[in-house]
Every structure is written in structure tokens, then in C-alpha cells.
């Protein structure tokens, strides 16, 4: 079980001074909805997130059904011990929506969405908790990358990063992970799994894990790595068995020893499937990464999953979602958030 850390406290700014400074906590509430073939995105869900994008259009049910089949097939291929027919396990996925009440008045903002896996063992008839995290969806991250960063660099000859970029988002995430709501709902810390960057080169190492596979090392850090570091997360890159490209695993603690094999497989099978659909040029390529690997989104030698995913719309909507966060969260609570962020220590 996780150790229970302290909780962040919030100072309210009113008039010319600080009222009841450092005396109130942000309140988080958690809602779950099953990700299955009947899934309908909530109004508060970011449409660009993987599971919401798949659940749209005329082929939504077919998309969802085929995605879940891919996830289960991949899980059983990795969990092949005592599994002679390759169908012992199935995964249940819950979309976990985290709403945040800033002022304690019942007005909430959809802060984070993550996925929680549950492993169903048909031999023992047991339901085994998987990993929480996996996918990561955040309106505030949209604001940082698609509003703040773009505005900061507009009409500038060279790219730069604003001061304190990602500080607020990182502290909000850690505040949630340290909250009563998280402690009461989840036994272990989250793991988030993302694709590799096509701007970096990755070198194969001698380190190999039986489930995570071969470890790769990037040639340099990235803005995404720095951003997630402010969320308290470290990163390691592994290419699981029979995968064709490394995955980025963001985590607290000890990734290789804090989670069971089945827990790790639940994350790999889920997120590798999403990446095969979203970035088939990398994760459904016909040739696997070698000793030195640079992802290429212009690669033509890949296989289609035949699952519809609108990448162009995803890019356009990210800007709209950033503006939504600015209008409904950043600007209305700016004074409170700045005061809280300046004093929050984790």
C-alpha cells in the first residue's frame, strides 16, 4: 500500500489580503464509466483522448469492439504461462474522471481522466486489480501546450519555454495523487504509458525485463519528459516482447519491482493497442526497432488496424480544449491558483 503523504492546503485571496490563508484543501471527486463497446463519452471528456476518439462516428461500436479484442489478445500473448489456449484472461477498463472543487462551493472542473484496468481470470474466477493511470488526459495540459506555449512563442524567431511552465499542472497532479480521494480508491501509485518521440533517437541497452522487454535510452531529454517530471514522474523506455517500438513508462517509485507481471501486462496490452491504432507508422510498423531507433511518422511500411481514428481532428481540437481550460479554469481561479502553487510543497 502507498504511504499516506500530507495534503495540500489552499489560501484564498480576497480584497487586498489573504483570507484564511492555508486553511482549506482542494476537493477531488472520482467518477467511473466502463470503457466497453457501449461506451459513450461524457460531456466533460476531452474529445481528443484515445478512448473518446474511438467512440465516435458510424463505426463506433465496431471500433470499440475491435479495440477491446486487440487488448485481450495482446494480454494473453504476454501472459502465456498456464494459458495453453491463449484465452485465460480478459481486461475490463474503467475511465476514471477526476473533478476538482477549488472553492468548496460545489463548482467543479474536469481536471484529469485516467484509465484503470481490472484483470479477469477465467480459470480462478478472480478479478485482479490492474494499474491505474495508463492513458492520461488533462485540460490544463492542453492549456499549457496549445494555448500558453503557442502564445509565448508567437512571432518570436526562436522557440523558448515560459517561466514556470508546467509548475501548476505538476502540483495539481501531485495534489490529487496525495489526496484522500486517491488513497481511498487506489492501492498503488499510477503508471502512465505514452508513445516515443519522433524527435529523438533511442539506443538499445543490455537491460531486459521478462515482461517490459528490452530497455532503450534516449539521446536527449524532451519537453514532455520535463513536463512529467514536474508531475513527480520518472520515465523509462522499454520495448515489450513482440512489440516493434519502445513505449515510454512514466511512474513513481520502482517500475520494475512495485508492480506484478499481470499488472504490467495490463498496461502494456492496453496502451500498445491504443498506440497501434493512433500511431500505426511506429507501433504497427512491419519492421521492429533495431539497436539504434528513431521513430518516423512518415514511415509507409506499416499495417493498418482498420480501426478509424481521426488524428487531424485531434490536433485541431487540442487548441479548443486549451482555450476551454483557460476560460473555465485558469482565468476564473487565477489568483487562488497562483497563491496555492507558490506555497504548495510536496
Amino acid at each position: 500500500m502507498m504511504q499516506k503523504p500530507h495534503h495540500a492546503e489552499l489560501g484564498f485571496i480576497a480584497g487586498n489580503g489573504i483570507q484564511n490563508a492555508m486553511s482549506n484543501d482542494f476537493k477531488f471527486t472520482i467518477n467511473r464509466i466502463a470503457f466497453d463497446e457501449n461506451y459513450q463519452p461524457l460531456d466533460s471528456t476531452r474529445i481528443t483522448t484515445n478512448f473518446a476518439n474511438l467512440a465516435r462516428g458510424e463505426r463506433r461500436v465496431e471500433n470499440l469492439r475491435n479495440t477491446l479484442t486487440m487488448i485481450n489478445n495482446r494480454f494473453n500473448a504476454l501472459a502465456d504461462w498456464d494459458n495453453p489456449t491463449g484465452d485465460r484472461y480478459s481486461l475490463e477498463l474503467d475511465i476514471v474522471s477526476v473533478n476538482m472543487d477549488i472553492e468548496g462551493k460545489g463548482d467543479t472542473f474536469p481536471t484529469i481522466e485516467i484509465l484503470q484496468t481490472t484483470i479477469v481470470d477465467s480459470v480462478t474466477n478472480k478479478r485482479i486489480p490492474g494499474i491505474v493511470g495508463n492513458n492520461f488526459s488533462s485540460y490544463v495540459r492542453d492549456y499549457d501546450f496549445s494555448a500558453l506555449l503557442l502564445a509565448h512563442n508567437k512571432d518570436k524567431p526562436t522557440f523558448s519555454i515560459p517561466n514556470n511552465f508546467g509548475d501548476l499542472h505538476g502540483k495539481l497532479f501531485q495534489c490529487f495523487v496525495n489526496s484522500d480521494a486517491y488513497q481511498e480508491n487506489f492501492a498503488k501509485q499510477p503508471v502512465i504509458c505514452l508513445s516515443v518521440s519522433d524527435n529523438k533517437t533511442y539506443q538499445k541497452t543490455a537491460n531486459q525485463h521478462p515482461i517490459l522487454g528490452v530497455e532503450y535510452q534516449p539521446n536527449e531529454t524532451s519537453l514532455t519528459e520535463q513536463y512529467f517530471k514536474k508531475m513527480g514522474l520518472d520515465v523509462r523506455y522499454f520495448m515489450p516482447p513482440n512489440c516493434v517500438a519502445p513505449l515510454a513508462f512514466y511512474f513513481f517509485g520502482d517500475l520494475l519491482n512495485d508492480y506484478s507481471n499481470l499488472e504490467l501486462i495490463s498496461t502494456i496490452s492496453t496502451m500498445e493497442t491504443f498506440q497501434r491504432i493512433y500511431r500505426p507508422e511506429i507501433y504497427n510498423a512491419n519492421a521492429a526497432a533495431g539497436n539504434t531507433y528513431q521513430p518516423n511518422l512518415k514511415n509507409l511500411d506499416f499495417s493498418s488496424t482498420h480501426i478509424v481514428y481521426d488524428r487531424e481532428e485531434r490536433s485541431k481540437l487540442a487548441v479548443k480544449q486549451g482555450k476551454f481550460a483557460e476560460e473555465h479554469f485558469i482565468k476564473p481561479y487565477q489568483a487562488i491558483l497562483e497563491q496555492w502553487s507558490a506555497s504548495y510543497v510536496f
Side-chain angles (χ1 to χ4, degrees), residues 73-342:
N73 288 344
R74 183 61 168 137
F75 189 103
N76 283 288
L78 287 169
D80 59 354
W81 60 94
D82 293 337
N83 188 7
T85 55
D87 59 359
R88 175 172 177 170
Y89 300 101
S90 61
L91 271 189
E92 293 180 359
L93 302 175
D94 283 330
I95 300 166
V96 178
S97 299
V98 182
N99 295 316
M100 183 177 180
D101 187 343
I102 296 261
E103 297 178 303
K105 297 179 180 179
D107 297 324
T108 63
F109 182 80
T111 313
I112 295 167
E113 275 191 329
I114 48 182
L115 280 175
Q116 184 175 19
T117 60
T118 300
I119 304 149
V120 180
D121 186 340
S122 65
V123 173
T124 63
N125 292 318
K126 289 183 178 179
R127 293 168 53 81
I128 305 164
I131 284 178
V132 65
N134 303 290
N135 198 81
F136 181 73
S137 177
S138 165
Y139 276 111
V140 178
R141 184 173 64 164
D142 283 336
Y143 165 74
D144 282 341
F145 280 92
S146 299
L148 179 63
L149 193 61
L150 290 180
H152 176 78
N153 285 284
K154 185 178 181 181
D155 299 328
K156 290 186 177 179
T158 57
F159 179 83
S160 64
I161 301 170
N163 291 333
N164 303 321
F165 183 73
D167 284 5
L168 173 62
H169 182 269
K171 291 178 180 180
L172 289 173
F173 179 76
Q174 296 203 52
C175 183
F176 166 60
V177 173
N178 293 342
S179 69
D180 285 336
Y182 190 95
Q183 305 293 323
E184 291 165 0
N185 282 273
F186 310 111
K188 291 187 178 182
Q189 292 175 315
V191 175
I192 296 166
C193 183
L194 305 180
S195 63
V196 286
S197 170
D198 60 331
N199 294 321
K200 296 199 297 184
T201 301
Y202 300 83
Q203 190 69 38
K204 187 176 182 180
T205 74
N207 191 38
Q208 186 165 350
H209 184 272
I211 300 301
L212 291 167
V214 178
E215 185 165 18
Y216 277 74
Q217 292 281 0
N219 63 325
E220 60 184 357
T221 188
S222 67
L223 184 55
T224 298
E225 286 183 2
Q226 296 166 21
Y227 195 80
F228 276 76
K229 187 70 174 179
K230 292 190 175 184
M231 296 163 62
L233 297 166
D234 293 319
V235 63
R236 294 178 74 171
Y237 297 87
F238 286 91
M239 188 167 76
N242 298 316
C243 188
V244 296
L247 291 161
F249 295 87
Y250 289 87
F251 59 94
F252 295 100
D254 186 345
L255 176 66
L256 276 61
N257 293 299
D258 289 347
Y259 304 93
S260 70
N261 286 343
L262 291 182
E263 287 173 332
L264 292 173
I265 291 172
S266 74
T267 288
I268 294 167
S269 58
T270 299
M271 297 313 299
E272 182 188 308
T273 295
F274 281 142
Q275 297 301 344
R276 286 174 64 192
I277 296 167
Y278 170 48
R279 287 191 162 175
E281 299 91 343
I282 296 175
Y283 290 97
N284 224 35
N286 294 326
N291 291 332
T292 301
Y293 176 63
Q294 181 168 8
N296 181 11
L297 286 172
K298 296 181 180 180
N299 172 39
L300 298 178
D301 185 23
F302 67 91
S303 300
S304 172
T305 62
H306 302 292
I307 296 175
V308 177
Y309 195 108
D310 195 331
R311 294 199 300 194
E312 182 178 354
E313 184 185 44
R314 173 184 168 125
S315 298
K316 293 178 180 177
L317 284 173
V319 176
K320 293 182 179 179
Q321 291 168 173
K323 292 179 179 178
F324 172 83
E326 183 176 29
E327 179 181 350
H328 295 280
F329 186 71
I330 300 296
K331 286 186 175 179
Y333 301 111
Q334 185 171 4
I336 292 174
L337 291 169
E338 287 179 354
Q339 173 68 16
W340 172 80
S341 182

